Amino acid sequence: MVEEPSRRIRYLIDLVDREATQLSGVRSRLLGDHCEVDEARAKSLLSDDLGIDRLESFGAKFSRMQDTVMDKLAPAVLRLVGELPAAAADNLDRLERLGLVGVADDWLAMRRIRNRLVHEYIKDAADLALVLERACHFSKQMQADYGRVREYVLNRID
């Protein structure tokens, strides 16, 4: 079955809207209003089941949105403008040239952070603090970049 491109991209926009909302909510429940995380704060977050669950949820939602935007939405946007999608890094460079993502290399750094959050149980509190603080800032950047992509797409298909 061949899916209509505008239908596919509308589906992806709806999906990422929900992912962005859920990521923002869990980030707020985990870290409050600020992203600063030091070793003591990281230890505090891991001191009870609620903190551990929120950290796991944040990592999963960060990963899910990052994966959807990089692996599904970016290629769909490029098809929308008549370009052939390529490797993820190349797609991000093209989105950066279109002014839709701030810095393409930051998205590759987000992928590395995503991998650490999802695939590692980081034992060292100081290391966890660094990773969590970067992920928090990246989650805000990811949502800001997505907002530009969303507006660009909706202006082209509506």
Side-chain angles (χ1 to χ4, degrees):
M1 179 173 122
V2 176
E3 192 172 12
E4 180 185 339
S6 66
R7 185 176 173 164
R8 170 77 175 152
I9 207 160
R10 284 181 198 279
Y11 166 78
L12 291 170
I13 291 292
D14 181 60
L15 176 63
V16 180
D17 282 352
R18 286 182 277 132
E19 291 173 346
T21 298
Q22 292 180 9
L23 176 60
S24 181
V26 76
R27 182 184 60 227
S28 178
R29 290 188 297 278
L30 179 66
L31 297 171
D33 295 332
H34 62 92
C35 290
E36 291 74 28
V37 181
D38 59 13
E39 186 175 346
R41 190 170 187 207
K43 284 181 180 175
S44 175
L45 291 171
L46 296 175
S47 67
D48 62 27
D49 291 341
L50 184 61
I52 293 168
D53 289 348
R54 286 178 176 167
L55 177 61
E56 288 289 323
S57 181
F58 176 75
K61 288 173 177 36
F62 182 90
S63 173
R64 193 170 298 129
M65 183 173 170
Q66 205 263 348
D67 287 352
T68 305
V69 172
M70 260 182 86
D71 300 337
K72 296 176 183 169
L73 185 59
V77 170
L78 292 174
R79 282 188 205 97
L80 181 70
V81 298
E83 294 189 30
L84 290 176
D90 295 328
N91 293 343
L92 291 168
D93 284 340
R94 288 149 76 197
L95 291 181
E96 182 181 332
R97 284 196 304 271
L98 290 170
L100 301 178
V101 299
V103 179
D105 287 344
D106 285 351
W107 280 79
L108 299 176
M110 285 182 214
R111 177 62 56 104
R112 290 188 292 275
I113 291 290
R114 164 218 180 269
N115 289 342
R116 296 217 50 211
L117 284 172
V118 172
H119 299 297
E120 295 180 27
Y121 283 101
I122 302 170
K123 288 182 177 178
D124 181 69
D127 189 26
L128 176 62
L130 291 172
V131 169
L132 192 52
E133 187 169 306
R134 290 194 74 202
C136 181
H137 288 295
F138 276 146
S139 71
K140 292 179 179 182
Q141 180 184 345
M142 185 170 21
Q143 290 177 309
D145 286 349
Y146 167 66
R148 284 190 297 277
V149 170
R150 184 183 192 282
E151 182 178 342
Y152 180 83
V153 166
L154 293 179
N155 284 336
R156 288 186 168 262
I157 63 173
D158 283 338

